[in-house]
Amino acid sequence: MESTQSNMNNRRAAVQRRIVDKDGHNKVRIDNVEGMVKLYLHDIWTTVVDMKWRYKITLFASTFVMTWFIFGVIFYFIGMGNGDLEGNLNSNHTPCVMNVETLTGAFLFSLESQTTIGYGFRYISEECPLAIFTLVAQLVITGLAEIFVTGAFLAKLARPKKRAETIKFSQLAVICQHQGKLCLMVRVANMRKSLLIQCHLTGKLLHSNVTEEGEKTQVYQTAVDFHMDSSGECPFLILPLTFYHILDEHSPLAGLNAENLYTRPFELLITLNATMESTAATCQSRTSYVAQEILWGYEFKPVLFGTTGGRYVADFNFFDKVQVSNDPCFLKNNSEKLKLEEDYKKE
């Protein structure tokens, strides 16, 4: 008993490598890619959309300030070339830009032109074609830049990724009997009142593999199918649902039992694809389970209750709660195993 518990503690203390963490983020680090910056610049739209908000706001502000300053400098040099900045000007001399005598004035003129809050004190004259051409070029170029940056803001705000964050997976998976078959079960819930339709849950088993030729694959992906008691139709995710995978001879987890569950290194990646009823856009939510997060001989506690007012209530205090299965095949000669798993849950 003591040696078994010691082994369990050692396995928990070891660093568990994961491909995907519990909230669905990719934990694989990409290193030593030649020309990474060039690759990101080739797909500048995706790069800007995927930026963190602090970088995106900095980009938004710097885009305006830099264009104001750059074209302000251009107008300043145009005025310098036209002799507008000299101290003693002839009475018949017409400046390119009226009342612009310093770099600060040129910057303010550029700002007023781009933001369409001019012209009043500073304005362009008809005697300088180069200044007119520069003004047109500024409005065209900065207009395109504003469209790009504003579009990136809207695209980031409207991404289905945020909707996926309101899809909740159970922290643990359980293995128990379901309709006379041994099944691995996970629970999924929609945390919003807006519905998700055409839901489809899929799984990938990530594990090492050795081919017949002796080639070892560090991470090998095997499909894991999940079902629901809904006659094969896409479930309607209005209530917390439990999906199950049958552990039969066709399952990639065939041969899994209470003794070897913690000794088989694998990661089970779960992906839920659904359509948002409000926008008809698709969203995807992910999570993963390692062997230490799968409990043998347990089942989920009920989460749906009826009220005296004729309504149903989904109590999420019970969403991650599990209980020992009442099936005799799990209770027989398995008390020590269940106690160790109970200790693991408390930790």
Side-chain angles (χ1 to χ4, degrees):
M1 172 72 177
E2 293 181 358
S3 61
T4 305
Q5 189 163 3
S6 177
N7 292 334
M8 286 278 292
N9 291 334
N10 291 336
R11 283 196 293 271
R12 294 171 198 163
V15 176
Q16 177 64 51
R17 293 187 179 91
R18 305 183 77 121
I19 304 296
V20 177
D21 57 16
K22 296 299 290 183
D23 57 1
H25 290 95
N26 183 8
K27 295 194 69 176
V28 178
R29 188 180 65 186
I30 300 176
D31 283 339
N32 303 321
V33 179
E34 185 177 354
M36 176 64 78
V37 175
K38 185 178 180 180
L39 293 174
Y40 274 65
L41 291 177
H42 279 174
D43 188 13
I44 186 64
W45 173 256
T46 304
T47 301
V48 174
V49 171
D50 288 342
M51 275 184 178
K52 294 182 178 180
W53 277 110
R54 55 180 176 270
Y55 301 134
K56 190 180 294 292
I57 293 174
T58 301
L59 175 65
F60 184 81
S62 61
T63 298
F64 285 98
V65 174
M66 289 302 297
T67 53
W68 295 338
F69 179 75
I70 290 172
F71 281 97
V73 171
I74 294 175
F75 282 116
Y76 180 78
F77 281 115
I78 290 175
M80 182 183 296
N82 194 46
D84 300 341
L85 307 181
E86 297 178 0
N88 299 320
L89 297 177
N90 297 328
S91 58
N92 59 352
H93 178 80
T94 303
C96 286
V97 182
M98 305 299 294
N99 301 312
V100 172
E101 300 176 354
T102 62
L103 181 59
T104 302
F107 174 80
L108 292 174
F109 172 75
S110 175
L111 184 154
E112 293 169 5
S113 299
Q114 189 170 327
T115 56
T116 65
I117 60 175
Y119 297 95
F121 181 69
R122 301 178 185 87
Y123 58 93
I124 200 167
S125 67
E126 301 176 358
E127 302 297 328
C128 193
L130 181 59
I132 297 174
F133 174 81
T134 303
L135 177 62
V136 173
Q138 177 184 6
L139 297 180
V140 172
I141 293 173
T142 57
L144 293 174
E146 290 174 15
I147 292 172
F148 180 86
V149 176
T150 305
F153 258 83
L154 294 177
K156 190 174 181 66
L157 288 171
R159 284 191 306 174
K161 178 180 178 181
K162 296 301 180 183
R163 180 63 177 91
E165 293 178 358
T166 56
I167 299 174
K168 182 177 178 64
F169 293 92
S170 57
Q171 291 295 313
L172 300 173
V174 298
I175 296 177
C176 61
Q177 291 285 341
H178 179 70
Q179 295 184 349
K181 297 178 181 179
L182 188 64
C183 297
L184 184 148
M185 311 180 76
V186 297
R187 182 178 272 174
V188 185
N190 175 21
M191 306 299 292
R192 285 184 178 271
K193 287 188 176 181
S194 58
L195 302 182
L196 292 172
I197 57 178
Q198 299 295 320
C199 300
H200 183 58
L201 191 78
T202 58
K204 290 290 184 181
L205 186 67
L206 311 177
H207 59 100
S208 59
N209 181 59
V210 179
T211 64
E212 296 179 358
E213 296 77 17
E215 180 183 358
K216 184 175 181 181
T217 304
Q218 186 75 13
V219 179
Y220 185 78
Q221 301 186 28
T222 307
V224 180
D225 57 323
F226 279 85
H227 309 278
M228 250 206 66
D229 299 328
S230 60
S231 303
E233 298 178 357
C234 295
F236 197 51
L237 195 58
I238 189 173
L239 300 171
L241 300 178
T242 301
F243 293 81
Y244 64 88
H245 167 72
I246 302 174
L247 298 174
D248 55 12
E249 63 275 8
H250 304 293
S251 170
L253 289 170
L256 193 68
N257 54 51
E259 285 70 30
N260 64 14
L261 174 59
Y262 291 139
T263 60
R264 292 182 58 173
F266 66 86
E267 180 179 353
L268 180 60
L269 173 62
I270 303 295
T271 303
L272 178 72
N273 294 288
T275 301
M276 294 182 289
E277 185 189 43
S278 55
T279 62
T282 58
C283 65
Q284 184 182 93
S285 184
R286 297 177 298 272
T287 191
S288 73
Y289 300 92
V290 294
Q292 288 77 12
E293 295 167 342
I294 301 176
L295 301 181
W296 183 277
Y298 283 81
E299 61 187 12
F300 290 113
K301 287 186 176 182
V303 70
L304 188 65
F305 304 95
T307 65
T308 55
R311 302 181 63 182
Y312 287 103
V313 175
D315 190 345
F316 279 86
N317 286 328
F318 296 93
F319 184 80
D320 290 313
K321 301 292 185 180
V322 296
Q323 61 189 5
V324 178
S325 175
N326 294 324
D327 197 302
C329 68
F330 290 106
L331 297 177
K332 185 178 179 180
N333 298 326
N334 202 29
S335 59
E336 179 179 338
K337 175 68 177 178
L338 296 179
K339 185 177 186 305
L340 292 177
E341 290 181 343
E342 188 69 28
D343 293 339
Y344 173 75
K345 289 195 305 174
K346 290 179 180 179
E347 293 180 3

